[in-house]
Amino acid sequence: LPTEEKEDIDELIELTKKMKAQIKANAKQGFSNFNITISASTFIPKAHTPFERAEREDKKTLEDKIKYLKKNLLKSGIDFRSPSVDWDTISAILSRYDKSLSDFLIDVIDSGSNLGAFKKQWREYNRKELLPGFESAAKTPIDFNNIKTLGWVFIDSGVKF
């Protein structure tokens, strides 16, 4: 989350270690062979949440956090899974944009519908000045101060902040 600090990550690691130790201590005979797998992704802003306008951290910072988590969990015998930061970046872009990406997405499909196709088309659209840079689009793709309608404004979730 945008407010996450290193201490929060360390607490997650410690909590997971304690869970593993507790399960092992309470394991019935024959149930001592088990695995814990933690799955985590980087922050992807979602509409109708307090973080819908929050900025994502840069790619290097996110990759460092994932590596830190993985290294420290694996040392304790805990499996760790995470999508790539690039896939999370695409999810962040898709979660904030609106129908203005329609032509772009059709071109991605026509180019193979994979991460490489997405990045290739993004570079092409960026070169033509139709889209901002890949990283900056994921961080804050919309100028929230100058936009009149957000892509999700027509959805009534019933939740008010």
Side-chain angles (χ1 to χ4, degrees):
L1 293 175
T3 58
E4 179 181 76
E5 301 289 334
K6 183 180 179 295
E7 293 79 23
D8 299 315
I9 297 170
D10 288 336
E11 285 183 33
L12 174 64
I13 293 165
E14 287 308 309
L15 175 64
T16 308
K17 288 178 185 178
K18 287 178 185 176
M19 287 173 24
K20 182 175 181 177
Q22 187 69 36
I23 293 169
K24 194 171 188 173
N26 293 328
K28 294 179 182 174
Q29 199 68 340
F31 185 67
S32 60
N33 188 16
F34 66 92
N35 293 320
I36 293 180
T37 301
I38 298 294
S39 297
S41 61
T42 61
F43 169 64
I44 299 168
K46 303 290 190 220
H48 301 290
T49 69
F51 295 118
E52 72 180 15
R53 298 170 186 239
E55 188 171 299
R56 274 175 55 91
E57 293 177 290
D58 64 90
K59 181 178 179 177
K60 170 117 174 61
T61 301
L62 294 171
E63 287 176 337
D64 288 347
K65 285 182 176 183
I66 295 293
K67 284 178 190 173
Y68 181 79
L69 258 172
K70 187 173 189 169
K71 179 180 100 176
N72 284 284
L73 289 170
L74 287 176
K75 274 196 294 190
S76 300
I78 299 164
D79 292 330
F80 179 75
R81 304 249 169 25
S82 178
S84 74
V85 172
D86 283 342
W87 274 120
D88 282 352
T89 300
I90 290 171
S91 293
I93 289 169
L94 294 175
S95 76
R96 286 187 164 162
Y97 271 85
D98 58 12
K99 63 184 177 182
S100 65
L101 278 186
S102 300
D103 290 339
F104 165 78
L105 291 173
I106 290 168
D107 287 342
V108 170
I109 291 167
D110 290 344
S111 298
S113 300
N114 56 33
L115 179 61
F118 193 99
K119 290 171 109 176
K120 177 184 175 193
Q121 288 302 319
W122 196 276
R123 282 190 302 271
E124 189 64 29
Y125 274 65
N126 176 253
R127 188 182 59 73
K128 295 176 186 174
E129 298 183 3
L130 298 171
L131 289 172
F134 186 65
E135 281 296 313
S136 64
K139 284 183 82 169
T140 309
I142 300 169
D143 182 356
F144 288 106
N145 296 319
N146 294 321
I147 194 163
K148 294 186 182 1
T149 305
L150 298 172
W152 55 84
V153 76
F154 66 94
I155 300 170
D156 182 6
S157 66
V159 177
K160 304 292 182 226
F161 295 102

